[in-house]
Amino acid sequence: MGRIFEVRKSTMFARWDKMAKAFTRIGKEIAIAVKVGGPDPDNNPALRRCYLNAKAANMPKDRVEAAIKRAMGKDKEDYEEVVYEGYAPHGVAVMVETATNNPTRTVANVRMHFTKGHGALGTSGSVAFTFTRMGEFKIKGAGKNVDDLELDLIDYGLEEIGEDSEGNIIIRTAFNEFGNMSKALEEKGIEVISAELTRIPTTTVELNEEEANEVLKMVDHLEQDDDVQKVYHNLK
């Protein structure tokens, strides 16, 4: 607890810095959130999370509102969340979260990326045990003391806290404590830059540069797929 760690999103989500991909991903998250909890962010925590992440990605407000309207319309896309598991080359575990309106197409594409990348798509549960699902919040670090914040949030499900390379504070909670922490940060007036559910590897695999590049090439191809939302791996 209290350790400083680097949130290596560049290796986990290599293409997320591309605005078009980020907007598409958030749009699908909005569609799923509205389908499950309705269009009112005050009564829909998942939709509030979408608003936060849209702001962090510099997604214009009118595009967010348009995505909500589409999700409520007669011609809305009916997305479902499907998670795929498998191995990249050299035994690296990979989990792929997708949002799709055509699972047959999606599983074929995901399988193709694994095969072309010299990996193997596995069955449900084949690598999930390698990851712990957690809630992750990013807040501005300026003017905040990590140790004081740790004591202040320990009763709300805090499991890890530290700083990223940009000086932001990263807070991690158990998956089932995500709502408690979100509410606590809101009540304490702490502005959240982004909030998401993530998967943290419990063990990692260390490879040489050539082998690591082979793994990351496969991950990169997966991340470029239109149906893929997030890709997680346990490459160190």
Side-chain angles (χ1 to χ4, degrees):
M1 296 286 287
R3 63 186 173 84
I4 295 176
F5 56 84
E6 175 65 27
V7 182
R8 297 180 60 196
K9 293 188 186 281
S10 60
T11 57
M12 294 170 62
F13 319 124
R15 295 282 173 172
W16 275 26
D17 58 345
K18 289 198 171 182
M19 192 170 293
K21 175 67 174 176
F23 288 2
T24 299
R25 174 181 58 82
I26 294 168
K28 289 183 178 181
E29 290 177 352
I30 288 172
I32 292 169
V34 170
K35 176 183 177 181
V36 173
D40 184 0
D42 291 334
N43 299 314
N44 188 339
L47 186 56
R48 287 203 301 274
R49 186 171 74 245
C50 292
Y51 269 95
L52 283 173
N53 294 334
K55 183 179 179 181
N58 294 316
M59 185 173 180
K61 185 178 179 180
D62 60 344
R63 292 195 62 163
V64 175
E65 293 173 349
I68 294 173
K69 288 180 180 179
R70 282 197 302 273
M72 297 169 58
K74 293 181 180 179
D75 300 325
K76 64 180 180 293
E77 294 278 6
D78 190 16
Y79 293 107
E80 61 178 298
E81 296 176 294
V82 185
V83 178
Y84 299 98
E85 306 174 37
Y87 285 95
H90 314 295
V92 174
V94 177
M95 295 195 71
V96 184
E97 293 182 353
T98 69
T100 178
N101 57 1
N102 186 335
T104 301
R105 176 195 66 222
T106 302
V107 69
N109 287 345
V110 170
R111 188 184 305 278
M112 175 194 68
H113 294 311
F114 271 93
T115 301
K116 285 189 173 181
H118 306 291
L121 184 63
T123 57
S124 179
S126 59
V127 304
F129 64 91
T130 309
F131 298 84
T132 300
R133 201 162 190 208
M134 302 184 77
E136 186 173 280
F137 300 83
K138 180 191 292 187
I139 65 175
K140 292 182 179 180
K144 296 181 179 65
N145 181 283
V146 173
D147 292 335
D148 290 344
L149 199 58
E150 179 179 353
L151 291 174
D152 198 26
L153 297 175
I154 194 74
D155 293 332
Y156 302 95
L158 177 70
E159 291 203 359
E160 291 184 347
I161 187 169
E163 296 178 323
D164 66 10
S165 60
E166 299 175 346
N168 298 307
I169 295 176
I170 306 299
I171 294 166
R172 286 179 179 159
T173 72
F175 173 75
N176 59 0
E177 295 285 2
F178 184 90
N180 290 336
M181 181 60 71
S182 181
K183 184 178 180 181
L185 293 171
E186 185 176 341
E187 290 178 347
K188 293 175 182 295
I190 299 174
E191 182 181 356
V192 177
I193 299 172
S194 65
E196 62 184 353
L197 297 172
T198 187
R199 299 176 192 268
I200 307 299
T202 55
T203 60
T204 56
V205 176
E206 188 168 4
L207 303 175
N208 62 42
E209 185 176 357
E210 182 179 352
E211 293 170 336
N213 285 337
E214 189 177 354
V215 172
L216 293 176
K217 183 178 180 180
M218 192 196 87
V219 170
D220 186 54
H221 287 158
L222 282 165
E223 289 171 336
Q224 291 183 60
D225 190 283
D226 289 341
D227 291 337
V228 172
Q229 296 289 87
K230 303 175 185 176
V231 181
Y232 303 93
H233 60 74
N234 71 336
L235 176 65
K236 187 172 181 180

